[in-house]
Amino acid sequence: MSRKRVAVLISGRGSNMAALIAAAKDKDYPAEIALVLSNKTDAAGLAIAHAAGIAIEVIDHAAFGKDRAAFDAAMQAVLVKYNIDIVCLAGFMRLLTPGFVGQWPLRMLNIHPSLLPAFKGLDTHKRALEAGATVHGASVHFVTAELDAGPIIVQAAVAVRNDDGEAALAARVLGQEHRIYPLALKLVAEGRVQVENGRCLIDGVPVPDAAHLTPVL
Ligand code: GRF
């Protein structure tokens, strides 16, 4: 089976992008990172992608002013030019138009630093701490027109410690992000994910019954 061609869209640090690049180095991984696309010229992740020998494109959103549709159309043109099969948003800090998202049904993934559907949007770790959450984590989901709301492909949970600060919690969640994004992309690239009633099934099988206790008792 030929490997799926993946574009990773970034705006900043690019550590999830780096995790995807690392996973795709394995010749048995079902996807290759064919393009890294940034909306910011100074995204730190661009240097990592360049060092890995991956094609880079920058489309500065500021040049499009308030015209989100025109910015999205410019991105779509680049994705088509590179023959992209799957798009991975990885810290891509732009709202996308429904028209653009609609071009990529079940072929656009995002990683979000919370256990969705809790804590959509920004500042998730701070909000989880303030809310007194005992379990927090990360989610990889399909992108739909509604922000952070598409079917969830893989989640990882971490326990929240009594003495946790935002940075410590964020670091533990990020460690899990780097595990689950390559896993979720693998499952999608292998065509093993279906959506039924808004939930993902892997290989057509519902998840087995499982319970996680926090604290472990
Ligand atoms: C990650 O926490 C990701 O979940 C969120 O933005 C952050 C991006 O970090 N969407 P990086 O650029 O992948 O290091």
Side-chain angles (χ1 to χ4, degrees):
M1 200 173 72
S2 70
R3 304 172 94 201
K4 299 289 186 206
R5 292 175 60 78
V6 172
V8 185
L9 273 52
I10 64 167
S11 300
R13 179 175 59 180
S15 71
N16 279 290
M17 172 210 72
L20 294 173
I21 291 172
K25 271 194 181 155
D26 181 343
K27 64 172 177 22
D28 293 328
Y29 193 77
E32 63 176 301
I33 311 304
L35 173 68
V36 168
L37 173 56
S38 173
N39 66 309
K40 299 187 84 166
T41 42
D42 61 353
L46 288 173
I48 303 171
H50 179 71
I54 291 167
I56 288 168
E57 296 275 353
V58 177
I59 304 177
D60 182 358
H61 66 273
F64 296 84
K66 289 196 162 77
D67 194 345
R68 288 188 188 276
F71 172 66
D72 287 359
M75 287 202 294
Q76 179 68 16
V78 167
L79 297 172
V80 168
K81 176 176 142 197
Y82 280 84
N83 267 316
I84 296 302
D85 300 306
I86 298 172
V87 176
C88 288
L89 309 180
F92 188 66
M93 303 304 285
R94 299 302 300 166
L95 293 174
L96 301 172
T97 57
F100 177 56
V101 171
Q103 308 278 329
W104 298 92
L106 305 184
R107 296 196 299 141
M108 185 183 283
L109 284 60
N110 180 44
I111 186 148
H112 182 75
S114 79
L115 290 175
L116 291 171
F119 306 120
K120 296 174 181 176
L122 298 173
D123 295 326
T124 56
H125 309 304
K126 182 165 179 277
R127 287 158 58 211
L129 287 170
E130 282 171 1
T134 60
V135 179
H136 183 48
S139 310
V140 181
H141 64 96
F142 286 119
V143 175
T144 56
E146 196 186 332
L147 183 72
D148 298 333
I152 294 161
I153 306 164
V154 181
Q155 290 186 305
V158 305
V160 180
R161 294 181 189 153
N162 282 337
D163 61 351
D164 255 338
E166 207 180 321
L169 182 57
R172 290 208 306 292
V173 170
L174 191 65
Q176 296 304 315
E177 293 184 36
H178 298 162
R179 289 179 63 198
I180 64 173
Y181 213 168
L183 176 60
L185 175 58
K186 177 177 192 292
L187 293 170
V188 172
E190 289 174 344
R192 296 168 60 190
V193 184
Q194 296 97 46
V195 176
E196 234 178 64
N197 302 325
R199 284 171 211 270
C200 290
L201 295 183
I202 311 297
D203 299 328
V205 182
V207 288
D209 289 344
H212 307 279
L213 300 190
T214 304
V216 177
L217 296 172

